Amino acid sequence: MPKDAPRRWDRRMQQRLAHGEAAALGELYDRFASLVHSLAHRVLDDVAAADRITRDVFTHIWENPEAYDPKQGPLRSWIATLAHQQAVHRLRRTEAAALARGGAGTPEELERKVRRASAAARADYIVTAMPAPLRAALELAYFQRRDYRQTAADLGVTEDEARRRLRLGLQLLSTAYDTRDTHGTRDTTAPADPSGPAGPSGPSYGAHGYGRTL
């Protein structure tokens, strides 16, 4: 598939939505609803609330297709950003309301809970969205406890390449825990699509625009 094929699909999808094509919304929902729901559920730990976030996100997209700028990054990343932001906002609002009613805890504990949930959702997204070679290396090293030599042997790559994949994977994953401002974009968004256009031997696994903000 040509490198620009996904971007062409994104642009075409936006155009179809802007023209009010209901079938386009159905296609978009089929492709991304599970992503939205899983992100929302990871933040909220509530199926009904995640269902509501999913409906709200696709309603927003249907009503505001022009809000997406293809020049800023993949459509998948933008949708993930919307889901994550709405879920974090709902969690903070729900927890603040419970605290105001006399619930246990303090405002500081509330913010810590929001940060933990936000970072966990971002980490999940980063792992699932990163290129398969990086994800495979991380899974071997950290879930199956292989060292980099064993990882290299299992993957059939050199030890230098195994170290490189682990380093890049960890760099991506570390961005999930950048929580300097829980009220600003640095916390309510996360690296959206680590699967940049470069392949496993390419110069970069990063992305731009929405790719830096989930």
Side-chain angles (χ1 to χ4, degrees):
M1 179 183 294
K3 288 182 179 180
D4 61 344
R7 292 195 177 189
R8 286 204 305 269
W9 188 90
D10 289 352
R11 289 194 296 270
R12 178 57 181 156
M13 175 57 68
Q14 183 195 37
Q15 292 167 357
R16 292 172 65 195
L17 291 169
H19 291 145
E21 188 178 328
L25 182 64
E27 291 178 30
L28 197 72
Y29 184 91
D30 288 344
R31 180 173 290 205
F32 295 122
S34 62
L35 166 67
V36 172
H37 195 276
S38 64
L39 275 169
H41 187 266
R42 191 69 172 91
V43 172
L44 298 166
D45 194 26
D46 183 316
V47 172
D51 290 344
R52 177 60 183 270
I53 293 294
T54 303
R55 291 195 298 270
D56 288 350
V57 165
F58 284 96
T59 297
H60 176 83
I61 294 170
W62 175 246
E63 295 176 347
N64 304 277
E66 73 288 346
Y68 168 63
D69 182 357
K71 295 179 181 178
Q72 294 299 311
L75 182 58
R76 171 191 170 93
S77 300
W78 180 66
I79 292 173
T81 299
L82 292 176
H84 189 267
Q85 288 175 335
Q86 290 197 25
V88 169
H89 176 71
R90 183 182 180 89
L91 178 62
R92 179 176 284 114
R93 187 179 62 215
T94 301
E95 293 295 322
L99 194 62
R101 291 194 300 268
T106 66
E108 291 75 18
E109 290 171 340
L110 181 155
E111 285 304 314
R112 283 196 292 272
K113 179 176 182 177
V114 171
R115 284 196 296 269
R116 285 195 300 268
S118 177
R122 290 199 306 269
D124 282 357
Y125 180 81
I126 290 168
V127 170
T128 58
M130 69 174 52
L134 303 192
R135 185 169 61 251
L138 287 178
E139 288 173 348
L140 285 169
Y142 295 98
F143 294 106
Q144 300 184 35
R145 298 187 179 278
R146 302 282 205 275
D147 62 26
Y148 74 90
R149 291 186 178 87
Q150 293 169 320
T151 297
D154 287 345
L155 295 176
V157 300
T158 66
E159 292 179 4
D160 284 345
E161 175 62 11
R163 282 195 295 263
R164 188 181 76 90
R165 293 183 186 185
L166 289 169
R167 182 177 67 253
L168 290 173
L170 288 172
Q171 287 173 350
L172 286 171
L173 195 56
S174 70
T175 63
Y177 300 95
D178 183 358
T179 56
R180 284 176 282 176
D181 180 1
T182 59
H183 291 91
T185 57
R186 297 296 294 183
D187 179 72
T188 58
T189 61
D193 198 344
S195 55
S201 299
S204 172
Y205 285 99
H208 301 284
Y210 301 122
R212 296 187 181 277
T213 58
L214 167 93

